[in-house]
């Protein structure tokens, strides 16, 4: 990575991280609106990749659907309420897209592929970001935040997958650059190595353990420890690597380097949340399992 590009990445990170903390602390509708805008951009970037394959997804249905997933999560931040709203939204988008491709698109326009990619784009761009309001509300809907609940509990909960993913990604990058020899997935992402991936998983586990050291005071009811947090972070590290590879595969299939140009040195929104697309839902699933058995 060139020094100039690395400097741009650090500049965006130094500006972006404080903004992320402020928005997470604000929670509620400020958080939902920011996430919904991001989901809309991410969904549109996915359609940009699809268009390079000669398909024309129904973006005027798919982009609002990606944003709607986030808004449903904000309206009903429990899993049951969100699942009901999300299922209804996706059913409506699927049926509406099928009607559009049936009556407004000729058979030569690949209607089946068009309908499938429309729904996929909404899920890929919006579902992971919709998990953030669920994570933010999780300690308040359980006993994890304790009494009286700290307003930082929601921030702390979202910070788990963010910390594990970002620390793991940084560790993988530097370890891979220094010692990487064996290619992890040469046909998809030639720069990624097994050495970097292993270091990334270990780094994600260490990041999660450090996360626990910082936040355990605001999550007194969480059935976590340093060891369980490190194990949880390692699993998130694996999920993050898979998410990164999936987006690399989609970009390689479309023949582009970045999904977009929104962030200098970082590409588009999808380029920034690619690992989180997997690690956020996995984190929520694992935390719900811990809550159930804890």
């Amino acid at each position: 990575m060139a020094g100039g590009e690395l400097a741009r990445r650090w500049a965006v990170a130094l500006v972006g991280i404080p903004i992320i903390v402020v928005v997470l602390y604000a929670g509620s509708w400020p958080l939902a609106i920011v996430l919904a805008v991001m989901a809309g951009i991410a969904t549109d970037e996915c359609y940009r990749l699809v268009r390079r394959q000669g398909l024309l997804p129904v973006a005027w249905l798919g982009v609002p659907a990606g944003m709607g997933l986030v808004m449903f999560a904000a309206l009903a931040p429990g899993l049951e309420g969100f699942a009901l709203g999300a299922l209804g939204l996706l059913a409506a988008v699927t049926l509406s897209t099928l009607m559009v491709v049936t009556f407004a698109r000729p058979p030569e326009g690949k209607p089946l592929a068009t309908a499938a990619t429309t729904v996929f784009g909404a899920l890929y761009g919006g579902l992971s970001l919709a998990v953030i309001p669920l994570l933010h509300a999780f300690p308040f809907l359980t006993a994890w935040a304790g009494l009286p609940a700290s307003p930082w509990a929601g921030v702390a909960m979202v910070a788990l997958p963010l910390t594990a993913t970002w620390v793991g990604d940084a560790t993988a990058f530097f370890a891979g650059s220094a010692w990487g020899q064996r290619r992890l997935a040469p046909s998809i992402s030639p720069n990624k190595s097994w050495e970097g991936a292993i270091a990334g998983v270990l780094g994600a586990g260490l990041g999660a353990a450090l996360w626990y050291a910082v936040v355990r005071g605001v999550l007194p009811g969480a059935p976590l420890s340093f060891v369980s947090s490190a194990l949880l972070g390692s699993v998130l590290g694996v999920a993050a690597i898979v998410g990164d590879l999936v987006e690399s595969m989609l970009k390689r299939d479309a023949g582009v380097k970045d999904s977009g140009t929104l962030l200098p040195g970082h590409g588009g929104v999808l380029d920034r949340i690619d690992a989180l697309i997997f690690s956020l839902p996995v984190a929520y699933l694992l935390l719900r399992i811990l809550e159930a058995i804890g």
Side-chain angles (χ1 to χ4, degrees), residues 79-108:
L79 179 60
E80 293 76 14
F82 167 68
L84 181 62
L87 181 61
L89 175 64
L90 292 173
V93 171
T94 300
L95 295 176
S96 299
T97 303
L98 288 172
M99 291 177 61
V100 170
V101 299
T102 297
F103 296 106
R105 299 283 178 88
E108 306 82 58

Side-chain angles (χ1 to χ4, degrees), residues 84-272:
L84 181 62
L87 181 61
L89 175 64
L90 292 173
V93 171
T94 300
L95 295 176
S96 299
T97 303
L98 288 172
M99 291 177 61
V100 170
V101 299
T102 297
F103 296 106
R105 299 283 178 88
E108 306 82 58
K110 301 180 181 178
L112 178 58
T114 296
T117 53
T118 299
V119 178
F120 169 76
L123 282 169
Y124 190 66
L127 183 60
S128 61
L129 293 174
V131 171
I132 292 179
L134 304 184
L135 280 170
H136 193 277
F138 185 77
F140 303 108
L141 297 178
T142 63
W144 288 26
L147 291 174
S150 168
W152 287 99
V155 181
M157 203 77 269
V158 178
L160 170 59
L162 298 185
T163 300
T165 300
W166 292 342
V167 173
D169 180 65
T171 306
F173 171 74
F174 288 110
S177 299
W179 303 300
Q181 296 293 329
R182 293 171 295 177
R183 299 300 96 185
L184 177 63
S187 63
I188 298 174
S189 186
N191 293 328
K192 290 182 174 58
S193 65
W194 278 104
E195 292 82 1
I198 293 170
V201 172
L202 295 175
L206 176 60
L210 294 174
W211 164 85
Y212 179 72
V214 173
V215 308
R216 58 180 174 169
V218 298
L219 295 172
L224 292 168
S225 65
F226 284 105
V227 173
S228 62
S229 296
L231 292 174
L232 184 60
S234 297
V235 175
L236 297 182
V238 174
I241 291 171
V242 174
D244 196 336
L245 289 175
V246 167
E247 203 229 357
S248 294
M249 178 270 296
L250 294 176
K251 290 190 295 185
R252 183 166 289 272
D253 187 41
V256 298
K257 179 180 180 293
D258 296 320
S259 66
T261 57
L262 180 66
L263 303 173
H266 286 262
V269 171
L270 284 179
D271 294 314
R272 288 300 87 213

